[in-house]
Structure formats: C-alpha cells, structure tokens
Amino acid sequence: MVFDRMSGKLLWSATAQKEFRHNGICAGGGKLFAGDRRTAAVSLRSSKTPDAGAEDDAILCAFDLLSGKQLWRLQEEVFGTWLSYSEQYDVLIEGNRRARDTLSDEAKGMRALRGSDGAVLWLDPKSSGPGMIRGKTVLKEKSAADLLTGKPVMYTEPITGRSIEWSWMRMY
C-alpha cells in the first residue's frame, strides 16, 4: 500500500502473487520497485511439500509511485531478495544479503538494471550482497563494484604501488 504521507490517504495498493519481502522493496525517482518472491521457510509451513522452485517464478516490477501504474515487469531469472536504487544514475541493484541473521533461501548473484525499463546493465552470478549503493559504488559481500559496469573497485596499495581490489570486512 502507498499512502500520501501528509494526509494519510491511500493512493494505491498492489497485491503480491507470492510475497513482497521487506528488503525487496525500495523507492526513488518517482518509482517503487518490488520483488515478488516466495520465501522457502513460509512455503514449507504452508504446504505439505517444499516449494523448491519458488525462485523460478519470482517477479521483479516497477510501479509509478503516484499512480501505481506498472512501468515494467521481469519474470525470468529473478533471484534477489534485496533491492537498492540510485536515483542519480537510475540504476536498480538486485541482490541478496547472506548472513547468519537472514533466511536460508538467499540466492547468490547481483545484477544492475536500468530503473526506467528494467534492462540489465550487468550481472555477477557469484556475488553476494548487501548491495548498498554510495555514489557510483555498490557494496558487495566483501568488496565493491562500479555501479554502472559491475567492474571491481580498485585502489593503489600505498607501500607497493600495486593496483588491488578494494575490500572490507564485516565485524560482529
């Protein structure tokens, strides 16, 4: 459901065919993006047999934020449970967030799509999220990539002068 934040009036709503997951919804640039994908854990509870193919029928779509009109929809090879959007570059990141405090159905992979039409800009099938965007950089599990090309972010190592891949580490 999308509400006018000043009046509280309901502007529009959409019904998931599977499930809208909280990390799989984001907004920007007058658009709302949503991943509609069944959660394996829920599927196990709601049926007698596991829905092993749940990710195969996942949907990724974009709506006009004010009207609710669907702008585009992808139904092939949708895998992500985490969406991030750069309004500045009109790039949507589809990925995941694999961690010990997340569900076990997080698939590997990260891809960038053009927010205006859903066209794929790049795909890295081996990456993991969180897929957070800062400027022209998107954070991956332990490294970063250029938002527009998917190429690794590099830096010059100060002692040797070599160009190496930038990395980070999650601490608990």
Side-chain angles (χ1 to χ4, degrees), residues 15-28:
T15 301
Q17 290 183 16
K18 316 296 185 262
E19 299 170 38
F20 292 135
R21 290 170 71 161
H22 71 288
N23 286 338
I25 301 170
C26 68

Side-chain angles (χ1 to χ4, degrees), residues 5-169:
R5 69 184 185 135
M6 299 304 194
S7 69
K9 177 185 171 199
L10 175 67
L11 297 176
W12 59 273
S13 66
T15 301
Q17 290 183 16
K18 316 296 185 262
E19 299 170 38
F20 292 135
R21 290 170 71 161
H22 71 288
N23 286 338
I25 301 170
C26 68
K31 297 178 281 294
L32 182 132
F33 304 96
D36 186 352
R37 179 178 182 264
R38 185 170 287 120
T39 303
V42 173
S43 299
L44 288 171
R45 273 189 258 127
S46 63
S47 68
K48 293 181 181 181
T49 57
D51 190 358
E55 62 278 352
D56 295 340
D57 58 358
I59 299 164
L60 181 58
C61 49
F63 299 94
D64 178 84
L65 191 56
L66 293 178
S67 70
K69 177 186 174 202
Q70 192 172 92
L71 302 173
W72 54 262
R73 173 186 181 106
L74 296 177
Q75 288 185 255
E76 294 181 18
E77 300 180 18
V78 175
F79 60 87
T81 59
W82 178 289
L83 297 177
S84 299
Y85 178 69
S86 167
E87 185 172 340
Q88 181 180 6
Y89 296 101
D90 188 36
V91 174
L92 177 69
I93 294 293
E94 176 191 18
N96 57 59
R97 182 176 169 262
R98 296 175 71 121
R100 66 183 185 192
D101 61 348
T102 59
L103 294 171
S104 60
D105 68 339
E106 299 284 337
K108 274 206 170 271
M110 184 179 290
R111 71 175 167 177
L113 305 135
R114 196 169 31 240
S116 60
D117 60 12
V120 176
L121 301 174
W122 56 266
L123 168 67
D124 182 348
K126 295 181 181 177
S127 284
S128 288
M132 294 182 290
I133 300 169
R134 182 177 185 272
K136 271 186 71 177
T137 303
V138 59
L139 288 181
K140 300 191 316 186
E141 185 178 30
K142 295 180 181 177
S143 62
D146 181 279
L147 181 66
L148 303 176
T149 66
K151 292 182 180 175
V153 171
M154 307 297 281
Y155 82 100
T156 303
E157 207 275 328
I159 297 173
T160 65
R162 293 181 317 165
S163 181
I164 59 174
E165 190 171 354
W166 181 86
S167 64
W168 66 283
M169 183 184 311

